[in-house]
Structures are given as structure tokens and as C-alpha cells.
Amino acid sequence: VPLQKLFDQFLEPAVSFVRSELKEPVPSVDSQLAKSTMAIIDALLLPYMPAAEGKILVKADDVPHLTRHVSSIFLQALIWGVGGTTDQAGREKFHDFLTKFISESKEVVMNAPPEDRPLYDYSFDLIEGKWEGWMDKEEKFVVDVEMEVSLIVVPTVDSVRYSKLLAMLVDAETHVLFTGGTGTGKTVNVNQYFAGPLCLEDYSPITMIFSAATSANQVDDFLMQKLEKRRTCVYGPPLGQRFLVFVDDLNMPAREKYFAQPPIEFLRQWMDHGGWYNRQDMRSLPFIQVNDIGFIGAMGPPGGGRQPVTQRLLRHFTQIAHTQLVDSSKRQIFGTICSARLDEKSYGNEIASAVDLLVDSTVILYNTIAHDLLPTPEKSHYTFNLRDLSKVFQGILQASPSSLTTAEQLLRLWVHECRRVFSDRLINDSDRKWLDGEMANIMLTKFGKEWETTITGERLIWGDFLAGPEAAVESRVYTEATDLKATTKVLKSFLEHYNEDSKAPMKLVLFFDAIEHVSRIARIIRQPGGNALLLGVGGSGRGSLIRLSAHMAEYELFQIEISKGYNKDKWRDDLKEMFISRALKNIPTVFLYSDTQILWEGMLEDVNNILNSGEVPNLIQKDDIEEIYKECKNDCLDQDLEPTYLNVYNQFVTRVKQNIHVCMCMSPGSRQFRTRLRMFPSLVNCCTIDWFSPWPAEALLSVGTQKVEESGLEFKEIKTSQLVPVFQYIHQSVEQKSIEYKTKLRRYNYVTPTSYLELLSVYKDLLNSKRKEVGSKRDKLQNGLDKLEYAERQVAQLEIDLKAKQPVLAKTLEEVKATSEIVAKEKEAANVTKTKVEKQANRAKIKADECKAIEDDAQKDLD
């Protein structure tokens, strides 16, 4: 049957059916579907394509074989070229439509697919000329029990067919776009293909992750750093290689005012014109041709932080939608891993026999959570995907045979891990109680165990730190904390060790909630590739608990210091220092970063890239490559890889993923928080979330008691145990009134642990101030009273002395009186004498004046 006749008969009805009846996660255009169909036909016929011009590999004997199976080749291409863009419900409809259409067109279809399974489950083997299942030729998968759980990829029908389609299309030099929701395996399938022998032999993979803050210049710089100049205005990978550029989150770049997306337009320019303008030569801006490069894209449906992408770019891709894994595939994946790791030989028959029930229970719980706990503006982080399901089993498989011997222990561990993955992100007690109720129902239905008899303690804690700081990190065992008092004692010893070694000791109050948060953070960072997103208001102790957890795991802590002149260059220098001095040296490090340190959104984009891919675009310059090459060359040799600079750099990125654990602290109360979660999806997808609830009464009492005792305040009238509940009541009553305030007036009043600490501090300062003020007044009053008392004593003494001297005084008065009379008489006599003397003096003066006159006359006569 001529291929043209098949196109004429099938293509237009199939495209019309897709447009009228089916839903596509990412909309396509009709020409794109036709082009994708032809691209898949080219890929299927690739072994028979001309190897060089004028030389054809098709032998004469093969021509009848190919002619006989043209219709089967076309149907295979039609199924994925036209029907591959729709979702699971659409696939079922397209299967019914195409099956019916094939049955009505038997004159042109020589070899139709069997009808016992969906068309999507079949692949046409052109060499053998028959339809077969995608898994029919796959070898039985054997789990490597020594491999990290996060690195194990169990092949399923979905992963195998997507990987084979990808390899087939890439070999035909066709650009591929994987679409689908979060957690459908788009990135995993591409990375699996990149790690496989077929890709490593023929291609050099490059991964680039878009976010809302990605710019066209960043894409340009990133690609130009990888390319080599071949001749004037012609660039490409090293000769003999072909670059495969994987662009993850393709539709994340934010739109500009008139809806343009510069990073998308930059890629489209290469798609349309084979190159771009060289910004390194700003004078002439020559247009350069870029050869030997192919693109693989991955994107989710538009919505939230994801934007619609122009069809001018998407038309260049063969689009294949990833559907959500069916429950049977989930059970196959995690059942295979758990059965290999929790085997009867190591864990005993009781544990091994419960594996299937455990996997089934977890899948049921995950489906219930994903269906019922939907995101809202207040709960924007309520997004669950297969990564979360994987984290549950990753946590369960941390337990050693010595700590997991009975089915009850396994159930408690299962509840613990489900709480850590799902419950820790829930924002209120009602949601947490609902989740516990669902687990209780599943436990009773599947295992026949009552919740109350299995989960006996109020708090369920597992960890590998319970042996204390003296135990070596390598020998620690992940086990259950059955005695909370002993656990508190162990954590206090870790805190004492931290304060002894640290220049900035911490005065932490380890109440029960704080102990739980420490165990959660310690569990996260001890897992391979473990990153944490801690959501809580300021003052809830997130930073201090991270520091303690990092010390417990014997990890280094890295934190940037924001200063007045902090800019982009200093930010990138800090990141480079963390990468080179820690990750490159294989030093496990916790990167503590808070939303209060976000000076521009580009900082979050770099953190987003570290979480997702383990690298920051354009951070490592050529000057650093030599040091990286020396350190990571042996890693390539150990894995039988050629130590090219690209392979060595990939090993460096692997070290970054293994050694850098990001702990991001954010406050969930603002609209900016919700915007950032949409713009940078790795904050949720690549992190384990821990929600810090308001401090309970027990925490308020513990902290208040310690702060009051440390303050040195002495109370004679009341005891500390009587005073602290007053602070607790004040704080909790204001919290309650703030909720009512928000409900009635739609206005916010934030009451945080910092508010409680400030209350204690204000009380201490006010009490000291009032004590000082009252004491000063008391001292002044007492001083006045003392003065008055002294004066009173002096007056009394004077009165006594006066009474004793009264007779003497009377006698003296009489003597004075008598003497006065005598003096008066003598004075009268003296006055008489004085009068006489004055008269005689006057007469003497007259005589003297007369003598003077005679003397003067005589003198004149003499002269």
C-alpha cells in the first residue's frame, strides 16, 4: 500500500478526532502532528536510510519486506505522532477510535496490532515484522542492593517505551519534547537515556533548567561556554561529537509585557535559522552558525508558574505526553525495590512477607492524599507527586535488620515515614488528624492492626543519632526512639558538644516539638540528595535547629553573610567557594539559606538550579576547570568513562549533588511566598517540607521557665512555676484574638515565637526598671527618715542638757545683774571724770594755739 494513501486515509481523520474529542496537556498544531508522524517514520526506517549520498543500505531482498510492512510502520508513527500528545483519558478514546478505523480499513492495513492490549502498549519490530509489547525483549531487572535507593530506576512499560521512542527519535536527529504533569518521569527518563551506553557513545549530554527568572543572556552564556569555535562564525561541540541539550521546565520563563519569553525566542532563533548573534563581539554582533546540536525538552501543562509557549517553537518538536503512572506500575517499581532490600534472609519472614501489603498501602495512601489534599492559596505547597512516594520508601529502607524485626516495628516505621513526607507539610491539626485517620483505616484494612495498639506513644521518632555523639557516623543505625527522656538527654549532649566547639554557642530549649524538628532535619540531610524547605515564622528556631542537625551529622555549615555592598559578584563567589572548597573535596555541607537573604530573585534561581541539577549556569569558569579535572579525573576512570572535560565536569556536578544539602528557610505568610513557589518549582519538588507550627503550651512553658531562670530575677512572693503560665496565657490569648481579628476584618496580626521572647524580655527589663525606680525612691525615703530620727535624738539631748544647766544659768544671771549695777555706778563716775578732762583739754588747746601764734611772729622777726 503506498504510504501516500495511508496518509490520505488516516491522518486527517485522526487529527480531527484529536482536535474535537481529546485534551492535550500542551496544545499542538496540525502541522506539528503531521511532521511528528513523518519524523517517527524516518526514525523507524533509519537502518535502511542512505548512509551517504549515492550509497543506499537497502538490499534488494529487503524491499519486499519493507513494502509489506509499510502500513504497520505508518500505524506505529500515527499512534505516537498524532495520539501521543494527549493524556491518559485521551489515549483510551484514541485507542477506540483508531481500532475501529483500522477494522474498517482492512484493505490498506496488512498487519494490524493485536486488540488484547491498548495500541500504546505495542511496538512494531520492523526486522521481525511483528507487533510486540515494549517489555517483551527486556531482560529481567535485578536490583543492586548496594546502590542508593534514589538512584535505582525500575523499568516499567511507561519508562521503556518513552526511553526507546526518545533514543529512536534522537538517532534520527529529531527534537523531542516530553510533556506531562510533575512526577510523571520526564526528567528521569531523559537522564536514564543520558546515562545509558547508546547516548554516551554517540552524544555529549548537556542539561539546562529554566525558571521564571531565566534570561536569554544566561542561555547564551551557558551554551557558548560549552561550544568550540570551528572556523569564522561557525561553532559546535568538539569534532566528532554531537551535543544533546536537555531543557527541563521549558515553559517556566516569565512572560514580558507583550507575552514574549526571551529564552524561548533564543532557542527558536536556532531552530529557525541555525544559530544566533554572538554577544561576545559587541561591536559587530555577527550571526554565528551552530552545528551538531539537538534539543530535548520537558515541560508541564501551562498553569501556576508555567507559561504557554509559542507554537513557533513547539512546532519544531516531536511531542510525547507522559501520563501519570497507573497503580500497577507504582506497585511494580517500589515492590521490586523493597522486595530486594527487605529480603527474608536479612530481615526475616515476618518483614519480607509484609512488603507487598506495605507497598499497596502506601500507594493507596498516596492516591488518597493526591486526590483530597489539593493546593489552595493558603496551602500552595500541597502538591504531591511520585517523588514524595519515593521518599517514603527511601526512608523505610534506611532501617537496618537489627532495628526492624517485627511487623509492628515495620508499621510504626511506615507511619513515621508517611508523616515525615506527607504530614510534616500540613499546616493545621485538622489535616494531620485526617491523615492519621486514613493511615489507621489502611492499617486496619490491610494488616488487621488497630492504630491504638500499634502506635502507642504520643510522639513517633526514628533517627540514626540515638547512640549519641560518641558513636561514629558510619556505624549509626536508623532506629526508633522509644524513650523521649533519653532522646532529650542525647540531644542535649549534642548541643553541649556544639557549644564547646562553636564560637557562637546556642542557648536552646529542647522541648518536644524542637526535638521532633531536629530529628526531621537530621533525617533529611542524612539521605542522599536530601534537601529541606522549612516553613515557619521568624523566631521559630529554624536556623538554630539546622545548625544543631548539621553538627549531629558531622557536616559543615555554609551560610552567606549579607553586608551593605553585597552584590551578584559576591553571591557567585560564595557559591563557587562552597562548590570548590566543599563539594569538590567531598565534604558534606549544609547550605543554610533564608528568604530574608534574598536581595534579588536571581539568587533563588541559582538555588533552584542547585536543587534540581546540582550546578549553577556559568558559575564555573575556565580557570577552575583544571582543579576540577585533577580532582574528578579518577571518578571517570572508575566508571570506565573517557576523562574528557565534559565527563569530568559531569562527575563534579555529581559530587555537588551528593555533598551539598540545601536547607531553605521561608516564611509562608506572604503572597511573595506563593509567587516564589510557582516561579521556582524545585523548592517544593526537590525538597522535603517541614512546617513549623506555633509553639504549643509545653514549649511556651519550657522556654519561659528557662528565660526567667537565666534572667537572675529573684521572687520572694511567687514561684517561677506560678509566673510563667501567665506569659503562656497572654501569648496564646493574643494568638486566638489574632485569628478572630483575621476572620472578622480580614487583616493580619502576626504573633510569632519572637513575640513571646520579646514579651519575656520586656517583662525582665520592665521589672528591673521598676525595681530600680522603686528601690531609689525607697532609699531616698529611708534616708529622710534617718535624718529626721537623728535630729529628734539631737533635740532630745539638747533638752536634757538645758535642764541640767538651768540652776547654773539662774545663778549666773544674778551675778550678771549685780555686776551690771556696779558697772552702771562706775560708768556714772567715769562720765563725770570724762567731762572734767574734756574741759581741761579744751583749755590746753586754746593755750597751744596762742603759743603757736607767738612762735610764728617770732620766726618772722628772725627771718
Side-chain angles (χ1 to χ4, degrees):
V1 178
L3 193 58
Q4 182 64 49
K5 185 175 182 180
L6 292 168
F7 270 96
D8 293 341
Q9 186 164 342
F10 280 87
L11 185 61
E12 187 173 349
V15 172
S16 299
F17 182 79
V18 170
R19 292 287 170 257
S20 61
E21 302 293 336
L22 307 186
K23 179 181 177 181
E24 295 176 312
V26 176
S28 61
V29 292
D30 294 352
S31 61
Q32 179 186 2
L33 299 183
K35 182 181 177 182
S36 298
T37 303
M38 290 185 281
I40 296 175
I41 292 174
D42 289 341
L44 290 169
L45 294 175
L46 187 63
Y48 304 96
M49 297 290 283
E53 191 171 349
K55 182 180 179 182
I56 299 178
L57 297 180
V58 180
K59 300 177 182 179
D61 297 340
D62 292 332
V63 174
H65 176 76
L66 291 176
T67 304
R68 187 165 55 251
H69 297 298
V70 165
S71 62
S72 299
I73 295 172
F74 175 79
L75 287 178
Q76 175 80 72
L78 187 69
I79 291 169
W80 289 103
V82 177
T85 61
T86 185
D87 56 14
Q88 182 62 40
R91 287 187 180 184
E92 295 173 2
K93 293 180 181 179
F94 191 78
H95 164 79
D96 296 337
F97 160 78
L98 193 55
T99 302
K100 182 179 178 182
F101 204 81
I102 291 173
S103 64
E104 296 173 354
S105 307
K106 291 185 178 180
E107 71 279 359
V108 295
V109 178
M110 301 296 183
N111 183 11
E115 297 183 3
D116 58 336
R117 282 187 284 182
L119 295 175
Y120 295 90
D121 289 351
Y122 280 106
S123 169
F124 184 72
D125 189 332
L126 182 55
I127 296 176
E128 298 184 6
K130 66 177 183 178
W131 293 91
E132 60 186 14
W134 291 101
M135 298 287 291
D136 288 353
K137 291 186 177 181
E138 290 294 311
E139 297 180 359
K140 184 179 179 181
F141 181 75
V142 179
V143 177
D144 184 359
V145 294
E146 301 297 329
M147 184 182 294
E148 294 178 1
V149 177
S150 58
L151 300 179
I152 300 175
V153 179
V154 179
T156 63
V157 173
D158 294 303
S159 63
V160 169
R161 63 186 169 196
Y162 294 139
S163 299
K164 287 186 176 180
L165 285 169
L166 176 63
M168 181 176 66
L169 291 168
V170 166
D171 289 341
E173 299 186 2
T174 300
H175 307 303
V176 182
L177 176 64
F178 282 166
T179 64
T182 303
T184 52
K186 304 183 297 294
T187 304
V188 172
N189 290 332
V190 175
N191 289 335
Q192 275 295 104
Y193 170 69
F194 281 172
L198 295 177
C199 178
L200 296 176
E201 290 177 4
D202 302 324
Y203 307 103
S204 295
I206 299 173
T207 300
M208 184 166 47
I209 299 170
F210 281 1
S211 72
T214 303
S215 66
N217 288 351
Q218 289 175 330
V219 179
D220 183 11
D221 294 338
F222 179 78
L223 293 176
M224 288 299 293
Q225 189 180 24
K226 308 288 184 182
L227 298 173
E228 293 183 358
K229 186 175 182 180
R230 293 182 174 179
R231 57 182 185 274
T232 304
C233 293
V234 177
Y235 287 75
L239 288 175
Q241 296 184 24
R242 178 177 173 83
F243 276 163
L244 279 183
V245 181
F246 173 43
V247 184
D248 203 359
D249 291 329
L250 180 66
N251 59 343
M252 280 302 300
R255 286 179 161 188
E256 294 182 337
K257 181 177 180 180
Y258 295 105
F259 307 111
Q261 295 168 281
I264 299 298
E265 295 302 319
F266 183 87
L267 298 181
R268 187 189 65 81
Q269 188 176 41
W270 182 87
M271 298 281 187
D272 288 342
H273 305 288
W276 52 76
Y277 293 94
N278 188 1
R279 289 173 42 252
Q280 296 177 1
D281 185 358
M282 293 300 294
R283 289 187 176 182
S284 59
L285 283 175
F287 187 85
I288 60 173
Q289 180 181 347
V290 181
N291 298 331
D292 297 329
I293 186 172
F295 283 90
I296 301 172
M299 60 185 284
R306 298 182 176 89
Q307 308 294 336
V309 177
T310 174
Q311 295 293 344
R312 292 181 294 174
L313 174 71
L314 297 185
R315 65 189 177 91
H316 293 284
F317 288 93
T318 295
Q319 183 174 318
I320 298 175
H322 280 50
T323 58
Q324 293 291 342
L325 281 181
V326 296
D327 290 349
S328 59
S329 295
K330 298 172 189 173
R331 294 185 179 95
Q332 177 188 350
I333 293 172
F334 299 111
T336 302
I337 297 174
C338 291
S339 297
R341 299 292 291 269
L342 301 176
D343 60 307
E344 183 177 353
K345 181 178 179 182
S346 302
Y347 288 84
N349 181 63
E350 188 174 0
I351 300 297
S353 60
V355 167
D356 291 339
L357 290 176
L358 185 73
V359 173
D360 193 35
S361 301
T362 311
V363 171
I364 293 173
L365 180 65
Y366 166 76
N367 291 338
T368 305
I369 292 172
H371 181 267
D372 293 344
L373 293 180
L374 300 177
T376 64
E378 190 179 14
K379 307 171 182 178
S380 54
H381 57 286
Y382 276 28
T383 54
F384 303 93
N385 54 59
L386 285 182
R387 291 188 182 96
D388 300 310
L389 185 60
S390 175
K391 290 175 185 175
V392 174
F393 294 104
Q394 186 178 2
I396 291 174
L397 296 178
Q398 289 184 103
S400 64
S402 60
S403 60
L404 197 62
T405 57
T406 65
E408 285 74 15
Q409 285 181 321
L410 180 62
L411 285 176
R412 287 198 295 272
L413 177 59
W414 176 70
V415 171
H416 175 267
E417 297 306 319
C418 290
R419 281 180 173 177
R420 298 293 75 81
V421 175
F422 301 122
S423 182
D424 285 351
R425 74 174 64 190
L426 306 183
I427 68 172
N428 52 47
D429 290 335
S430 60
D431 286 351
R432 299 187 192 100
K433 289 179 180 177
W434 173 86
L435 181 59
D436 283 349
E438 292 297 321
M439 288 191 286
N441 292 335
I442 294 174
M443 187 185 298
L444 181 61
T445 305
K446 293 292 182 179
F447 294 91
K449 300 287 186 180
E450 293 286 347
W451 177 270
E452 291 75 12
T453 58
T454 305
I455 311 301
T456 54
E458 181 183 355
R459 300 176 187 270
L460 191 58
I461 298 176
W462 286 67
D464 64 353
F465 55 85
L466 300 174
E470 295 79 13
V473 176
E474 298 78 12
S475 61
R476 292 180 182 176
V477 177
Y478 192 68
T479 186
E480 183 180 2
T482 55
D483 186 350
L484 283 179
K485 291 184 178 180
T487 304
T488 305
K489 185 177 180 181
V490 169
L491 290 180
K492 285 183 177 179
S493 65
F494 274 113
L495 181 59
E496 292 173 359
H497 278 74
Y498 175 87
N499 290 335
E500 290 173 0
D501 299 337
S502 174
K503 297 179 181 178
M506 300 184 297
K507 295 181 179 179
L508 293 182
V509 181
L510 293 175
F511 49 87
F512 289 145
D513 270 27
I515 292 172
E516 281 195 331
H517 285 299
V518 169
S519 68
R520 294 171 189 176
I521 300 169
R523 168 189 173 275
I524 293 169
I525 63 177
R526 285 283 289 160
Q527 290 181 343
N531 304 294
L533 174 62
L534 309 182
L535 303 180
V537 294
S540 52
R542 296 164 299 173
S544 300
L545 298 183
I546 289 173
R547 291 183 177 88
L548 178 58
S549 300
H551 174 75
M552 290 163 54
E554 297 185 6
Y555 288 178
E556 287 197 6
L557 185 80
F558 185 86
Q559 188 176 16
I560 63 172
E561 295 182 5
I562 302 297
S563 57
K564 184 177 181 181
Y566 200 84
N567 54 26
K568 293 182 179 180
D569 292 335
K570 291 183 178 180
W571 162 251
R572 296 180 74 84
D573 288 342
D574 285 340
L575 292 183
K576 185 187 292 186
E577 178 190 354
M578 180 175 67
F579 280 18
I580 299 298
S581 62
R582 275 116 171 140
L584 183 61
K585 307 297 182 183
N586 272 329
I587 300 175
T589 302
V590 172
F591 177 32
L592 172 56
Y593 187 59
S594 172
D595 56 358
T596 58
Q597 298 174 314
I598 301 173
L599 303 183
W600 61 92
E601 295 303 305
M603 300 175 79
L604 263 185
E605 183 188 6
D606 291 338
V607 174
N608 183 79
N609 286 325
I610 294 174
L611 290 169
N612 202 330
S613 65
E615 64 175 325
V616 176
N618 310 318
L619 179 68
I620 304 300
Q621 303 300 321
K622 293 183 178 179
D623 299 338
D624 308 309
I625 294 295
E626 289 299 326
E627 182 178 358
I628 293 174
Y629 188 86
K630 292 179 182 177
E631 290 286 341
C632 299
K633 178 182 177 181
N634 291 332
D635 292 355
C636 291
L637 297 176
D638 292 341
Q639 300 182 29
D640 296 329
L641 296 175
E642 184 180 353
T644 63
Y645 280 103
L646 186 59
N647 287 338
V648 169
Y649 181 78
N650 290 335
Q651 295 304 313
F652 166 68
V653 172
T654 301
R655 288 195 179 190
V656 173
K657 290 180 180 178
Q658 291 174 344
N659 294 296
I660 301 299
H661 300 271
V662 178
C663 288
M664 183 79 189
C665 301
M666 301 186 77
S667 178
S670 64
R671 179 179 299 178
Q672 194 175 30
F673 165 74
R674 298 192 294 270
T675 302
R676 284 169 173 167
L677 291 192
R678 290 197 307 269
M679 293 174 61
F680 306 102
S682 293
L683 293 177
V684 174
N685 295 336
C686 299
C687 292
T688 301
I689 301 176
D690 186 12
W691 180 275
F692 279 65
S693 300
W695 281 359
E698 177 257 336
L700 297 173
L701 288 174
S702 299
V703 173
T705 301
Q706 177 166 325
K707 292 297 181 182
V708 170
E709 290 175 351
E710 289 178 353
S711 66
L713 302 174
E714 297 180 359
F715 303 99
K716 297 180 180 179
E717 298 82 4
I718 60 174
K719 298 180 180 179
T720 303
S721 58
Q722 296 174 308
L723 176 65
V724 175
V726 178
F727 298 131
Q728 172 202 335
Y729 173 77
I730 294 172
H731 183 80
Q732 292 184 324
S733 62
V734 175
E735 280 183 335
Q736 187 61 37
K737 289 298 180 182
S738 298
I739 295 174
E740 297 177 11
Y741 183 62
K742 174 188 172 185
T743 304
K744 293 179 180 178
L745 302 179
R746 307 302 299 171
R747 299 179 68 180
Y748 292 87
N749 176 55
Y750 295 103
V751 183
T752 67
T754 302
S755 307
Y756 183 68
L757 297 177
E758 288 177 353
L759 171 64
L760 296 172
S761 177
V762 168
Y763 174 79
K764 172 188 172 183
D765 295 340
L766 183 61
L767 181 61
N768 285 331
S769 174
K770 289 300 180 181
R771 280 182 172 180
K772 186 176 180 181
E773 179 184 344
V774 172
S776 176
K777 292 181 179 180
R778 180 200 62 196
D779 293 342
K780 290 179 181 179
L781 180 61
Q782 185 64 44
N783 186 44
L785 293 173
D786 292 343
K787 293 289 186 183
L788 290 173
E789 183 182 359
Y790 175 75
E792 186 180 3
R793 290 198 304 269
Q794 293 287 67
V795 170
Q797 185 64 39
L798 287 174
E799 289 179 351
I800 294 172
D801 293 343
L802 184 61
K803 289 181 180 179
K805 294 179 179 180
Q806 196 70 30
V808 178
L809 180 62
K811 182 180 179 181
T812 304
L813 287 174
E814 291 178 356
E815 291 177 352
V816 168
K817 184 176 179 181
T819 304
S820 298
E821 292 176 352
I822 296 172
V823 169
K825 293 177 180 180
E826 292 178 351
K827 185 177 180 180
E828 291 178 357
N831 289 335
V832 174
T833 304
K834 180 180 178 182
T835 304
K836 292 178 179 181
V837 171
E838 288 177 350
K839 291 179 178 180
Q840 292 177 358
N842 289 334
R843 289 195 296 271
K845 184 178 180 182
I846 294 171
K847 293 291 184 182
D849 292 340
E850 292 176 354
C851 290
K852 180 66 176 173
I854 296 172
E855 183 181 0
D856 292 340
D857 289 340
Q859 187 65 36
K860 290 180 179 178
D861 293 341
L862 289 175
D863 295 339

